[in-house]
Amino acid sequence: MIDNIIEEIEELKKEKNAIILAHNYQPKEIQEIADFVGDSLELCIKASQVDEADIIVFCGVNFMAETAAIISPEKKVLLPDNRANCQMADMVSLDELIQKKKENPDTPVVLYVNSRAETKSEADIVCTSANAGNVVASLDGDEFIFAPDYNLGTYSAKQTGKTPIIVPEDGHCYVHTMFKPEDIKQAREDYPNAKIVVHPECNQDVKDLADYVESTGGMVRLAKDPEIQQLVVGTEIDLSTRLKRENPDKEFIPLRRDAFCLTMKIITLQKVRDALKEEKYQVEVDEKIAQKARVGIQRMLDLS
Ligand code: 13P
Ligand code: SF4
């Protein structure tokens, strides 16, 4: 049954000249059929380079697919389930951001890629968890407006010595803020020889206790380090699925086994097949918004 669906997907991909991009948090079976698996930055770069394909099937959440549609406007971008949203991306409203810009007219605006297209259209530059520090360092002045993740905003401020004006003050990821200092202390007791890596979206008290702070792509590279044999992984559970597949002789221990991003899991093989067959759900961004949002995304890509 599953083999049949995979065959159908392969045939439809050829027939429609499509490519499948998947985020590192996608379930195992989706990672396995994808043409490319990566973090938000890698997926954005890939989406900007897939000249040969007519259709991009994006297995991830809506802000990622929107970013692909903005950066690759000549392609049809499909999200296999149009309920796949990121709660954090909706935590900053356009009005709130515009108000903050009015209060601080000379301050550069950085939008975390985990945001909707219309808020990105108000950004001077976009960042991901892989490059937030570099993006902030590239800006003029000692202050920056940052939305919507409080933890990434304060982390990039710490990395650069600049002062963040964060909007909203409580923007967060419900998955990464589950991790607590006690989880790290427990992991140190249970796995005394392991290294511990956490995502920048975790709270600062958790980041302070970890050995490394990395984007999911950074975690993939770290796992290949010959010095690392056992790694405790403080991010969404399916990143460990990818790490194990690529490093079968090493041990990867999720920092919490309940760290699920529910909307990442609503993409299934059946839905990918149906997306290709019926060319749904097409991600469409208003061209005026897309034009403005593209500037901040392109500035980030130029820095990468
Ligand atoms: P990465 O860009 O590190 O893959 O993170 C995306 C994300 O949504 C983290 O929760
Ligand atoms: Fe959004 Fe958090 Fe899910 Fe990442 S893990 S997509 S930030 S809800």
Side-chain angles (χ1 to χ4, degrees), residues 31 36 45 63-64 74-76 97 129 132 140 155 169 176 179 187 206 212 218 230 232 239 250 282 296:
Q31 293 192 21
F36 182 82
I45 294 171
F63 76 80
M64 297 175 178
E74 68 295 348
K75 307 267 182 275
K76 191 179 256 190
L97 184 60
S129 65
D140 291 334
Y155 184 61
E169 280 173 17
H176 288 93
F179 298 110
V206 169
Y212 310 94
Q230 204 183 31
V232 175
L239 194 266
K250 299 188 179 187
Q282 187 173 355

Side-chain angles (χ1 to χ4, degrees), residues 150-160 200 204 207 213-214:
Y150 179 84
N151 282 330
L152 188 63
T154 48
Y155 184 61
S156 45
K158 204 166 178 268
Q159 286 177 309
T160 56
Q204 190 58 46
K207 292 200 282 268
V213 178
E214 294 286 352

Side-chain angles (χ1 to χ4, degrees), residues 19 41 107 135 160 163 231 251 278:
I19 183 165
L41 180 62
T107 309
V135 164
T160 56
T163 307
L231 188 64
E251 191 181 2
E278 297 168 39

Side-chain angles (χ1 to χ4, degrees), residues 23-25 39-41 63-64 112 114 128-129 173 176 199 201 215-217:
H23 186 261
N24 286 325
Y25 297 159
D39 71 7
S40 308
L41 180 62
F63 76 80
M64 297 175 178
Y112 187 25
N114 295 39
T128 76
S129 65
C173 164
H176 288 93
H199 195 273
E201 288 176 11
S215 71
T216 63

